Amino acid sequence: MRPSDIHCSNGIYIDKELPGDKSISHRAAIIAAIADGESVIQNSATGDDLVSTLQCLSQLGVEIETSATEIRVKGQGLNGLRKPDRHLDCGNSGTTARLLAGVLAGQPFESVLIGDESLSRRPMGRIAIPLRRMGAGIKISDNGTLPMTISGSTLMGLSHTLEVASAQVKSCLLLAGLCAEGETAIFETIPTRDHTERLLPFIRKEILHDGHKLTVHGRCSISPFNLTVPGDFSSAAFLIAAGILIPDSHIRLRRVGLNPTRTGLLDVLGEMGARVTIENHVEDAIEPYGDLVVSYHGETLQGCLLDEKIIPSLIDEIPILAVIGTRTNSGLEIRYASELRYKECDRIMALVYNLRQMGAEVDEFEDGLFVHPSSLRPAGIKTFGDHRIAMAFVIAAMAAGGVSTIDDSECIEISFPGFMKYMGIEPTECHREFLSC
Ligand code: S3P
């Protein structure tokens, strides 16, 4: 837990490139590890979650060199990973655990995935069940959680319809499909982030009348690649919100990832009437990117109701979107989002708790929340150890003015180590208070 002070005087001014996207960086590192040769990943994510992935890969015998600007991964091919000599610790990272499980299911050795307290509460049955159907031996706890013991074997291709709209489950099964005999077909009724498919262009995509079908043929060898990872849209979301909510702020974020399966927040902000613009948009790259620009105008935003189909494209942005919802004229309704209860913490509970602490009127539902138009007041914030709850309420506290307190800002290191500096907050050893404008 790290105490911090915030001294916010004349708004937030940022004109920068952000560290690389976390979801893309995990996938790039894992896919590079099973490619035939050396891959180079530039502007990779910098948070603790990516460190968890890199450490697990090196325990599996993958040589990785990191420098300030790039990561070099010496791929071992589909069959070249080594049995680890201890448990693979995925830390706080669900993406590490679920994607690695897909790769490990097809390896001829036993491995055990473990995680921290938060990850050890998150559901793993959603990958264990289909991986078993492919022929892997998978043991998880009676609660359906880590630790997961994987006795890899020769896998058979599978045809599977995703029961939850989850890119982690989809990617786990596509990676397992790479090592399987025959064809693996995944059906998703609501599209989820497609970074794995973009990195493995031999995955065939078909658009069906009720969703997508993705097909991978097993035993395809993977070519090494060079990739520059665009800035993390999910990190950018907090800074965009700072531009909307904190007076006198001017934000320009350069080369941010704008993959349409991730940018639902921009669509909702557009509907609300917030003025966020895209400049220098490059659409014909493996991962599209552009500059995001927003300045404070202090307008009241239009209320809105989120459609079920948009939820996966903004699932990680819901904490900050709920904070923005307090500034609408008729409220923000977020439903069909029960997945939020299975993230780094129960995010519906954490949002309702902290918004109410700050004086907002909020209705809680099993699958979401309704945020009424409210003015926020300073309060004691609990992060529940969740990086996105922490960042959302740092912004809320700064927008509220006065002095708020936060119980833990250290968890922000999971995804966005520079965040407190971007917000002009220097960590100190002696205070836990946010002194805001
Ligand atoms: C992720 C997918 C999402 C997201 C998570 C990262 C990924 O989870 O919430 O932060 O990298 O695939 P689900 O796919 O389980 O919803």
Side-chain angles (χ1 to χ4, degrees):
M1 294 218 178
R2 180 184 301 146
S4 312
D5 286 348
I6 292 180
H7 297 272
C8 165
S9 50
N10 296 317
I12 303 295
Y13 176 84
I14 299 171
D15 181 352
K16 283 219 164 76
E17 280 189 27
L18 294 178
D21 182 272
K22 182 158 83 75
S23 288
I24 299 172
S25 302
H26 283 300
R27 286 161 172 79
I30 292 172
I31 293 169
I34 51 172
D36 292 323
E38 182 174 281
S39 298
V40 181
I41 305 165
Q42 273 159 337
N43 194 43
S44 160
T46 52
D48 291 348
D49 270 4
L50 191 74
V51 173
S52 296
T53 289
L54 297 181
Q55 283 174 346
C56 290
L57 292 175
S58 52
Q59 276 177 255
L60 289 162
V62 181
E63 262 180 61
I64 299 174
E65 270 173 43
T66 52
S67 74
T69 52
E70 62 184 33
I71 298 180
R72 286 178 176 269
V73 181
K74 294 217 170 90
Q76 303 298 302
L78 274 178
N79 304 311
L81 298 180
R82 180 183 79 199
K83 179 176 163 51
D85 49 18
R86 52 185 198 282
H87 292 355
L88 297 165
D89 189 350
C90 304
N92 192 252
S93 174
T95 310
T96 306
R98 296 194 177 114
L99 270 56
L100 269 186
V103 171
L104 293 170
Q107 304 299 318
F109 52 75
E110 185 176 287
S111 50
V112 181
L113 296 174
I114 57 169
D116 70 4
E117 211 186 309
S118 151
L119 183 55
S120 302
R121 284 194 299 264
R122 297 177 66 182
M124 293 295 156
R126 54 183 63 187
I127 58 167
I129 293 166
L131 287 176
R132 282 180 196 137
R133 283 181 50 217
M134 294 178 86
I138 307 278
K139 263 205 282 181
I140 49 178
S141 81
D142 291 346
N143 301 328
T145 56
L146 297 182
M148 181 186 294
T149 304
I150 302 172
S151 309
S153 65
T154 308
L155 302 180
M156 295 302 298
L158 169 81
S159 185
H160 182 78
T161 301
L162 296 179
E163 282 167 17
V164 280
S166 165
Q168 292 181 350
V169 175
K170 171 178 71 175
S171 300
C172 165
L173 299 178
L174 289 174
L175 291 171
L178 286 175
C179 311
E181 268 174 27
E183 181 181 285
T184 294
I186 310 295
F187 297 84
E188 54 176 6
T189 41
I190 301 183
T192 63
R193 61 188 71 187
D194 63 358
H195 307 303
T196 305
E197 298 91 296
R198 283 172 184 261
L199 273 174
L200 295 172
F202 52 79
I203 292 179
R204 232 182 46 231
K205 290 188 204 185
E206 274 172 70
I207 301 188
L208 309 175
H209 74 280
D210 56 351
H212 285 171
K213 178 185 180 192
L214 298 160
T215 317
V216 64
H217 285 272
R219 314 270 160 93
C220 290
S221 65
I222 301 167
S223 306
F225 54 88
N226 288 352
L227 179 74
T228 300
V229 182
D232 195 324
F233 182 82
S234 294
S235 299
F238 297 102
L239 306 179
I240 293 168
I244 293 171
L245 299 177
I246 301 173
D248 293 324
S249 295
H250 299 278
I251 311 287
R252 174 180 289 272
L253 305 169
R254 298 178 186 270
R255 297 174 69 91
V256 178
L258 295 175
N259 178 323
T261 62
R262 291 286 296 284
T263 52
L265 176 74
L266 293 182
D267 301 332
V268 175
L269 290 177
E271 226 180 283
M272 288 176 157
R275 286 177 259 173
V276 182
T277 53
I278 299 176
E279 294 176 9
N280 304 316
H281 201 165
V282 177
E283 291 183 82
D284 61 348
I286 297 178
E287 287 285 350
Y289 59 89
D291 302 346
L292 290 172
V293 184
V294 57
S295 289
Y296 181 80
H297 292 288
E299 67 265 64
T300 300
L301 302 171
Q302 298 298 315
C304 79
L305 158 69
L306 303 191
D307 183 73
E308 180 177 8
K309 289 216 156 101
I310 205 171
I311 296 294
S313 68
L314 48 66
I315 188 76
D316 291 341
E317 285 62 74
I318 288 177
I320 191 59
L321 188 56
V323 170
I324 296 172
T326 60
R327 288 285 176 91
T328 57
N329 56 5
S330 57
L332 171 68
E333 182 163 320
I334 302 167
R335 303 296 296 268
Y336 314 105
S338 46
E339 272 301 297
L340 289 176
R341 297 209 182 265
Y342 308 107
K343 295 296 179 188
E344 285 80 334
C345 76
D346 174 345
R347 286 186 176 158
I348 295 176
M349 171 281 295
L351 283 170
V352 170
Y353 175 88
N354 285 309
L355 286 167
R356 285 185 182 154
Q357 284 289 105
M358 297 192 79
E361 192 186 339
V362 192
D363 305 324
E364 178 172 0
F365 304 101
E366 189 43 43
D367 66 345
L369 63 162
F370 185 90
V371 183
H372 293 260
S374 312
S375 53
L376 297 179
R377 59 165 188 251
I381 302 301
K382 269 205 215 172
T383 66
F384 300 92
D386 182 325
H387 54 129
R388 298 200 208 279
I389 295 294
M391 289 186 275
F393 283 92
V394 166
I395 305 287
M398 293 183 85
V403 180
S404 290
T405 63
I406 193 162
D407 64 346
D408 172 24
S409 59
E410 194 175 355
C411 58
I412 292 171
E413 304 283 313
I414 292 292
S415 65
F416 194 177
F419 173 76
M420 295 299 250
K421 280 219 169 104
Y422 279 83
M423 299 307 293
I425 306 162
E426 295 300 331
T428 68
E429 289 308 313
C430 52
H431 290 95
R432 279 168 190 238
E433 286 188 339
F434 285 134
L435 183 61
S436 54
C437 47

